[in-house]
């Protein structure tokens, strides 16, 4: 496994591969890797001769300084996991490599309503920071395919819009959510849950599942209300539970209003903010 810290060294290596006609898959991460991240590596390895994983805790996408400080950093272990997973290339830049003074990084995207709702309404500046770093990383890596998790469904939708706006040739591949045995979506932040809140955190996936089961019986409004009541455990504070059109991310009134429907939620479990989602309909 090749590990690069600089843009220049990485690009020299990747340009050689490209010259030899090799396809490149790319999975951007913030490290503290778990099997959710490794599923992106596996998906990329199935499609591409070379898989690049980046590890960069991007300061511009954190709306909360404490969350950035406390974000788990486990680089040694990450490298072991990536090596075991057969990842060919790891890119671990520092902030100066990503945001050098002499380069203007495009950040004038217009996401319409996509970045205004749900996460966008609660995490100011988060998506602008995310789009900035993903765009910069894509310019550096120039992959044939980009692998992102359904876990961050809104993020993936916004990246899809960004790829359109930049006329990118990179294909976006959505990888399913990897969950713990009890249903909790894997997340680097899960290790920060108290033992009690960790146990209770299954309420997110359980609620999503119950909503899916009741889809034909109740109105969307009643389902959202039902979910918010369910998620409101002691020490838990739901921020939103929305059933949306999976393309526009706009709320729908009836399940018949869209072909692709997703339920998305964000909940504070003590001091840790968890997100999860489930595809309710896709036809
Ligand atoms: P992060 O390191 O949290 O920025 O995540 C990097 C990538 O891994 C993103 O595309 C995430 O959507 C994806 N990812 C994170 N957790 C999971 C999971 N539980 N299942 C699938 N993909 C995930």
């Amino acid at each position: 496994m090749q590990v690069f810290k600089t843009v220049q060294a990485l690009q020299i290596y990747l340009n050689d591969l490209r010259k030899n006609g090799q396809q490149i898959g790319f999975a951007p991460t913030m490290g503290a890797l778990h099997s959710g991240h490794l599923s992106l590596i596996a998906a990329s390895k199935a499609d591409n001769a070379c898989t690049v994983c980046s590890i960069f805790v991007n300061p511009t996408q954190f709306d909360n300084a404490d969350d950035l400080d406390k974000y788990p950093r486990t680089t040694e272990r990450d490298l072991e996991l990536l090596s075991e997973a057969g990842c060919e290339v790891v890119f671990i830049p520092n902030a100066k490599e990503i945001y050098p003074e002499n380069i203007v990084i495009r950040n004038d995207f217009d996401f319409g309503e996509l970045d205004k709702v749900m996460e966008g309404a609660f995490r100011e500046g988060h998506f602008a920071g995310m789009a900035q770093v993903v765009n910069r990383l894509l310019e550096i890596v120039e992959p044939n395919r980009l692998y992102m998790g359904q876990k961050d469904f809104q993020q993936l939708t916004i990246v899809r819009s960004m790829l359109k706006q930049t006329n990118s040739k990179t294909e976006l591949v959505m990888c399913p959510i990897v969950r713990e045995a009890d249903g909790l979506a894997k997340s680097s932040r899960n290790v920060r849950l108290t033992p009690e809140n960790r146990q209770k955190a299954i309420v997110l996936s359980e609620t999503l599942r119950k909503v899916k089961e009741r889809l034909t019986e109740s109105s969307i409004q009643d389902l959202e209300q039902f979910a918010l009541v369910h998620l409101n455990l002691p020490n838990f504070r739901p921020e939103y539970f929305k059933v949306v059109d999976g393309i526009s991310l706009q709320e729908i009134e009836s399940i018949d209003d869209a072909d692709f429907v997703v339920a998305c939620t964000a909940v504070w479990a003590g001091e840790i903010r968890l997100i999860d989602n489930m595809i309710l309909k896709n036809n």
Side-chain angles (χ1 to χ4, degrees):
M1 185 170 78
Q2 304 283 331
V3 180
F4 297 104
K5 292 190 170 166
T6 68
V7 172
Q8 198 188 20
L10 174 72
Q11 286 185 323
I12 290 172
Y13 184 83
L14 294 179
N15 282 340
D16 254 7
L17 294 186
R18 260 188 290 269
K19 268 188 218 142
N20 293 330
Q22 298 204 6
Q23 303 247 306
I24 295 166
F26 178 42
T29 79
M30 298 203 297
L33 301 182
H34 49 67
S35 52
H37 299 111
L38 299 177
S39 76
L40 310 187
I41 305 300
S44 171
K45 280 183 67 66
D47 298 337
N48 304 280
C50 173
T51 292
V52 181
C53 177
S54 64
I55 298 177
F56 179 61
V57 182
N58 174 37
T60 71
Q61 74 189 69
F62 281 80
D63 56 326
N64 177 327
D66 190 48
D67 192 25
L68 173 60
D69 272 356
K70 294 195 175 138
Y71 200 83
R73 289 160 172 89
T74 57
T75 310
E76 291 295 305
R77 176 85 188 120
D78 291 347
L79 291 175
E80 272 172 31
L81 289 171
L82 288 170
S83 173
E84 283 164 21
C87 183
E88 281 86 8
V89 174
V90 186
F91 180 43
I92 313 190
N94 62 21
K96 277 194 185 141
E97 282 295 309
I98 296 296
Y99 302 118
E101 278 167 14
N102 57 340
I103 290 186
V104 180
I105 296 159
R106 180 172 173 189
N107 203 11
D108 59 345
F109 301 107
D110 180 0
F111 298 117
E113 288 299 305
L114 294 180
D115 64 347
K116 312 282 184 300
V117 296
M118 300 193 289
E119 293 299 285
F122 287 96
R123 300 188 65 190
E124 210 189 323
H126 166 65
F127 285 127
M130 181 282 295
Q132 180 183 41
V133 78
V134 173
N135 183 45
R136 169 78 173 133
L137 288 166
L138 288 173
E139 281 178 4
I140 295 168
V141 178
E142 294 182 67
N144 298 86
R145 297 181 191 84
L146 171 65
Y147 294 81
M148 300 191 89
Q150 182 202 323
K151 163 85 190 336
D152 299 276
F153 185 77
Q154 188 171 7
Q155 165 173 290
L156 190 140
T157 307
I158 289 170
V159 168
R160 188 183 296 121
S161 164
M162 189 183 76
L163 292 173
K164 252 194 198 154
Q165 291 178 55
T166 54
N167 292 319
S168 173
K169 290 198 186 75
T170 299
E171 178 194 340
L172 179 60
V173 180
M174 177 166 90
C175 301
I177 302 175
V178 176
R179 298 179 179 280
E180 302 285 356
D182 66 1
L184 175 66
K186 296 240 181 188
S187 164
S188 307
R189 289 184 178 87
N190 291 352
V191 293
R192 294 180 52 210
L193 290 165
T194 64
E196 196 188 329
N197 288 345
R198 166 65 191 83
Q199 279 200 335
K200 291 198 291 188
I202 58 170
V203 73
L204 278 82
S205 59
E206 272 181 6
T207 305
L208 286 160
R209 192 170 42 76
K210 283 183 186 153
V211 163
K212 189 167 184 169
E213 279 165 14
R214 283 158 208 232
L215 210 52
T216 49
E217 296 159 26
S218 310
S219 71
I220 299 283
Q221 213 182 10
D222 285 351
L223 286 173
E224 288 178 346
Q225 209 42 48
F226 160 87
L228 288 172
V229 170
H230 244 75
L231 292 164
N232 203 16
L233 301 178
N235 283 327
F236 276 44
R237 185 169 60 82
E239 253 177 1
Y240 64 82
F241 186 101
K242 302 272 187 214
V243 176
V244 297
D245 178 322
I247 306 292
S248 69
L249 303 186
Q250 295 304 292
E251 288 184 65
I252 53 172
E253 281 177 18
S254 151
I255 193 72
D256 301 323
D257 287 354
D259 292 330
F260 184 34
V261 178
V262 185
C264 303
T265 188
V267 180
W268 284 94
E271 290 178 4
I272 309 305
R273 192 170 179 281
L274 301 173
I275 59 170
D276 200 352
N277 67 79
M278 193 170 281
I279 296 172
L280 303 183
K281 174 183 169 189
N282 190 7
N283 51 13

